[in-house]
Amino acid sequence: MKRQVLATKSKMNLNPRKKFIIELIVTLISIFAVIISTISIVRTLKEDDIAKTLRERFNQVLSGYSLTDNFLPGPLSRIDPSKQEETELTRDEVIDRTNLERASEGLPALTMNVELSTSAERKVDDMFTNQYFEHMSPDGQDISDLAKEADYAYVFVGENLALGNFTDSADIVTAWMNSPGHRANIMNTRYIEIGVSVKNGIYQGQEVWIGVQHFGEPLSVCGSIDSRLKATIDAEKGDLVTKEANIIADKEVIESMDDNEPGYESRIDSYNQEVSDYNLLADKLKNSITTYNAQVNSFNTCVQSGH
């Protein structure tokens, strides 16, 4: 009677072994597709590539490669013996005068950024302390180091330096505007934010003003990459590996069983459920990876070519 029931069942459904073989083929195809997708993603998800892109872009800014060389124009030094009377130069006035110059050409005003002003002040203090007047300090520190120390994340940064006996804030901005390189920095359409520091002190035995403008295009203009999504992807990849191992182990058990052995069909049903769960997770992971890669690609495109 038992064999007759089994025979009747076999007419209504696929033979269990054939059913198992079909599901196994589907599983292998699914695993292969996910492996290919995962290999592509592992290559894309390397966050070091993002940092490398930023470093390469900054090196291009410094060298002027594929860009103008106006991001770091030569330091402007002007001592005019005929100008003896001086009033106080201030950060806010320099920023206001700078924005007036931009407005004269229809450009939007730059927003004062605290971090950039901090980096500009450190630059002024360092030049007075170590008695130099260059974009690169004697110990090799440049604007990228100053921005990093001030926690300013950027796509582009630029620096204007000025030294002299300027009479007021308008005078120092005028001096920069009369220099093609410094003017180009002030009028650069990429910049959104500005930081300024102007101080009076002794440089090579003479009382002078040193002014520093730091310009920046913040990294935030390029959007963001969801670190939580990256963590989810890593977790799902781990779950997928575990499920794959379980499927392989169950397959080996099923292959060692006889068709008529008790529990054979329930093993196959359990196996097929594992395969279904695996495929659902694989689809979810693929969608997460697609979303994350879109964020990475958008970010890198912005960093490389601008928003």
Side-chain angles (χ1 to χ4, degrees):
M1 180 65 68
K2 182 178 180 180
R3 288 182 178 278
Q4 188 175 6
V5 171
L6 291 175
T8 302
K9 186 175 182 180
S10 67
K11 291 179 182 179
M12 299 173 61
N13 301 286
L14 289 174
N15 179 278
R17 185 169 291 280
K18 289 182 179 180
K19 181 181 178 184
F20 166 69
I21 291 173
I22 291 173
E23 292 291 350
L24 177 60
I25 292 173
V26 172
T27 299
L28 292 176
I29 292 174
S30 175
I31 291 175
F32 180 71
V34 172
I35 287 175
I36 292 176
S37 176
T38 302
I39 289 174
S40 172
I41 292 313
V42 168
R43 184 170 59 249
T44 307
L45 295 185
K46 290 181 179 178
E47 293 184 349
D48 286 346
D49 289 345
I50 298 171
K52 180 180 178 182
T53 299
L54 291 175
R55 288 196 300 271
E56 289 176 348
R57 170 53 58 188
F58 182 75
N59 287 335
Q60 289 176 1
V61 170
L62 289 182
S63 65
Y65 176 74
S66 80
L67 301 167
T68 69
D69 58 356
N70 294 327
F71 292 90
L72 298 173
L76 185 153
S77 178
R78 192 203 70 187
I79 302 294
D80 187 349
S82 66
K83 293 187 176 182
Q84 299 297 329
E85 296 183 2
E86 297 178 354
T87 59
E88 189 74 13
L89 278 66
T90 69
R91 179 194 69 183
D92 292 344
E93 287 179 355
V94 170
I95 292 176
D96 288 342
R97 297 297 304 188
T98 299
N99 281 330
L100 282 175
E101 297 292 351
R102 287 175 62 88
S104 69
E105 295 197 5
L107 298 179
L110 299 172
T111 301
M112 196 282 290
N113 178 274
V114 174
E115 287 78 18
L116 283 177
S117 287
T118 297
S119 65
E121 183 173 17
R122 289 176 179 173
K123 181 65 175 178
V124 170
D125 291 343
D126 191 55
M127 286 190 289
F128 273 126
T129 299
N130 294 294
Q131 294 293 288
Y132 73 95
F133 185 57
E134 298 290 343
H135 290 293
M136 186 76 71
S137 70
D139 62 358
Q141 189 179 62
D142 57 29
I143 188 175
S144 66
D145 301 304
L146 292 168
K148 182 178 180 180
E149 288 180 2
D151 294 325
Y152 184 75
Y154 61 88
V155 180
F156 289 100
V157 288
E159 179 178 78
N160 278 350
L161 305 180
L163 179 153
N165 59 336
F166 306 103
T167 56
D168 55 27
S169 298
D171 191 22
I172 190 172
V173 173
T174 298
W176 275 322
M177 289 297 293
N178 289 337
S179 165
H182 297 85
R183 183 183 189 281
N185 241 357
I186 290 173
M187 296 298 180
N188 194 318
T189 58
R190 294 295 302 272
Y191 295 133
I192 297 174
E193 298 173 331
I194 186 173
V196 168
S197 180
V198 281
K199 291 188 177 183
N200 185 263
I202 302 300
Y203 178 74
Q204 296 183 351
Q206 190 169 7
E207 184 177 355
V208 297
W209 284 92
I210 290 182
V212 174
Q213 290 178 313
H214 278 177
F215 306 94
E217 181 182 39
L219 195 59
S220 58
V221 302
C222 288
S224 61
I225 299 174
D226 191 345
S227 59
R228 292 175 299 179
L229 180 57
K230 173 63 164 56
T232 298
I233 289 172
D234 291 338
E236 289 177 349
K237 284 167 60 179
D239 291 343
L240 208 62
V241 170
T242 300
K243 288 183 181 296
E244 180 181 348
N246 292 337
I247 288 172
I248 292 173
D250 287 347
K251 176 181 74 70
E252 293 175 353
V253 172
I254 292 172
E255 289 178 336
S256 69
M257 297 176 69
D258 184 77
D259 289 7
N260 298 322
E261 187 174 339
Y264 177 77
E265 290 191 55
S266 63
R267 276 278 188 177
I268 289 182
D269 290 339
S270 177
Y271 173 88
N272 288 337
Q273 184 59 54
E274 287 183 317
V275 170
S276 178
D277 292 343
Y278 179 94
N279 289 333
L280 288 174
L281 180 59
D283 288 340
K284 182 181 177 183
L285 175 60
K286 183 178 180 181
N287 291 334
S288 296
I289 285 171
T290 299
T291 300
Y292 187 86
N293 280 347
Q295 293 177 0
V296 172
N297 291 336
S298 176
F299 179 89
N300 285 336
T301 297
C302 175
V303 170
Q304 292 168 2
S305 59
H307 62 287

